[in-house]
Amino acid sequence: MATVTNAYTTASAVGIREDLSDRIHRVDVEDTPFMSRIGTTTAKQTLHEWQTRTLSAVNTNNAVPEGDEVSRSASTANVRVSNVCQISRKDATVTGTLETVDKAGRDSEMALQMADRTVELRKDMEAALMSNQAWVASGTRKLRGFEAWIRTNSARGVGGADPADPTVTPTTSATDGTQAAFTEAMLLTTLQEIYTAGGNAKFALMGPHAKKTASAFVGRANSQVDIGKTTIHQATSRYASDFGDIDFVPHRYLRSSGRTVALVDPSNVKVAYLRKFVRFPLAKIGDAETRVILSEYTLEMCNEKAHGVIADLLTS
């Protein structure tokens, strides 16, 4: 059918108001699973230090005769360990005009920009803390990431190598090896090593492919889950092992799309802040305002023997 002759339509009308929703939609992730699950502490210098100590091995032959003269044992000294504080920063610049005009979905453009920069900064920090990054102590300082600490309880691919002892050469990261499929045997072996070393891993951070693989582990076949008639329960979020219950936590931006599974004892690792999410304006230039948010922080690896890594895994 044809339009009525001389009908005045929206195509030619002037003055129709726009239909712009007063909401802003964003799909980008905000989660920081590692930082959100571990503790924090305070750093007082750019070089943050702490101490570890080791007890002597169990002696099943600890028996002495009555009245025996004590043969004095040597004391064990603490081990001094350190990491450097890294500065991570984000900023936003908004003109005076943009801050003043009527906007949809926000009253203040600067407030919106700084909220986004805060999320971005937390994600950058999460990636640095979980990384295989070796420390850099001068110039642009870089902290030693989680993967670059673990050497006691590690499963690596062919050609892979643990990082150097941080008390001797604190400048190396782990060496990547040949990638292989993630298996339940790898998980159980590493959990056993952590338990034997004295740790109690509580959660495992893993990339999306490793998480999908873990949900198909054989142990899943023996579980019983009460679900509704309209629900298909496929995923495994908690794994009850011989060495304690482990939460399987998917991580969206682990190094190299998740080639490493990190087994974490949250009581033995912290984020140490020298400056925690400091916000300040820069000197104004022209008709625009710039605000900065930064953190100066490091990873306090209280004792790397409490954790583990399963490295060099396939990611697809």
Side-chain angles (χ1 to χ4, degrees):
M1 298 178 63
T3 304
V4 176
T5 304
N6 290 330
Y8 193 27
T9 68
T10 58
S12 55
V14 176
I16 298 175
R17 291 189 181 275
E18 64 181 5
D19 179 20
L20 177 60
S21 172
D22 204 30
R23 293 179 178 272
I24 301 173
H25 304 278
R26 175 162 56 81
V27 74
D28 303 85
V29 298
E30 299 184 17
D31 50 327
T32 52
F34 182 66
M35 291 174 61
S36 300
R37 284 172 168 80
I38 65 174
T40 62
T41 188
T42 301
K44 297 183 179 180
Q45 300 288 347
T46 57
L47 179 65
H48 181 61
E49 299 182 279
W50 59 98
Q51 300 176 75
T52 66
R53 61 185 295 109
T54 303
L55 300 179
S56 61
V58 173
N59 180 10
T60 58
N61 194 37
N62 190 347
V64 296
E66 183 177 342
D68 187 49
E69 180 181 354
V70 175
S71 176
R72 293 165 177 80
S73 302
S75 297
T76 302
N78 293 348
V79 177
R80 195 163 172 168
V81 193
S82 60
N83 206 352
V84 293
C85 288
Q86 175 173 321
I87 301 173
S88 295
R89 181 185 68 197
K90 290 287 184 177
D91 65 87
T93 302
V94 176
T95 66
T97 302
L98 179 55
E99 188 67 8
T100 304
V101 297
D102 189 22
K103 299 172 286 294
R106 71 279 194 198
D107 294 325
S108 168
E109 184 64 33
M110 179 58 80
L112 176 66
Q113 292 295 324
M114 289 306 291
D116 285 350
R117 298 298 87 75
T118 301
V119 172
E120 292 170 358
L121 178 60
R122 285 181 58 84
K123 290 167 62 177
D124 289 351
M125 292 169 62
E126 173 90 354
L129 291 166
M130 286 301 300
S131 71
N132 188 33
Q133 171 179 289
W135 85 342
V136 179
S138 60
T140 301
R141 300 188 305 273
K142 291 186 177 181
L143 60 83
R144 188 182 183 106
F146 184 93
E147 284 195 56
W149 280 95
I150 309 303
R151 51 185 281 107
T152 302
N153 312 307
S154 63
R156 303 190 183 279
V158 176
D162 292 328
D165 184 343
T167 64
V168 178
T169 310
T171 56
T172 67
S173 55
T175 302
D176 289 338
T178 303
Q179 291 176 264
F182 182 29
T183 67
E184 193 168 7
M186 291 177 180
L187 175 66
L188 290 172
T189 298
T190 308
L191 286 174
Q192 180 180 345
E193 291 175 350
I194 293 171
Y195 177 82
T196 302
N200 293 286
K202 298 298 184 184
F203 63 91
L205 296 176
M206 54 188 70
H209 183 71
K211 177 62 176 68
K212 186 172 65 174
T213 301
S215 290
F217 283 167
V218 174
R220 182 78 182 91
N222 298 322
S223 66
Q224 293 183 356
V225 182
D226 187 13
I227 59 177
K229 294 181 180 179
T230 60
T231 303
I232 298 174
H233 196 99
Q234 172 272 329
T236 299
S237 58
R238 173 165 288 194
Y239 185 89
S241 78
D242 293 322
F243 311 104
D245 292 351
I246 307 296
D247 289 334
F248 285 174
V249 183
H251 202 296
R252 300 174 193 265
Y253 40 98
L254 285 171
R255 183 177 72 94
S256 302
S257 301
R259 64 180 290 149
T260 301
V261 170
L263 299 165
V264 184
D265 178 347
S267 66
N268 273 288
V269 63
K270 298 176 183 177
V271 182
Y273 288 100
L274 184 60
R275 291 185 289 169
K276 185 177 182 179
F277 298 105
V278 178
R279 296 169 175 81
F280 56 89
L282 294 183
K284 191 170 183 179
I285 300 177
D287 185 22
E289 182 180 5
T290 300
R291 289 186 176 274
V292 175
I293 179 171
L294 65 77
S295 275
E296 193 163 3
Y297 62 103
T298 193
L299 183 70
E300 182 179 307
M301 181 59 73
C302 305
N303 199 312
E304 65 86 21
K305 294 180 180 179
H307 315 280
V309 295
I310 304 171
D312 305 318
L313 301 176
L314 295 174
T315 58
S316 63

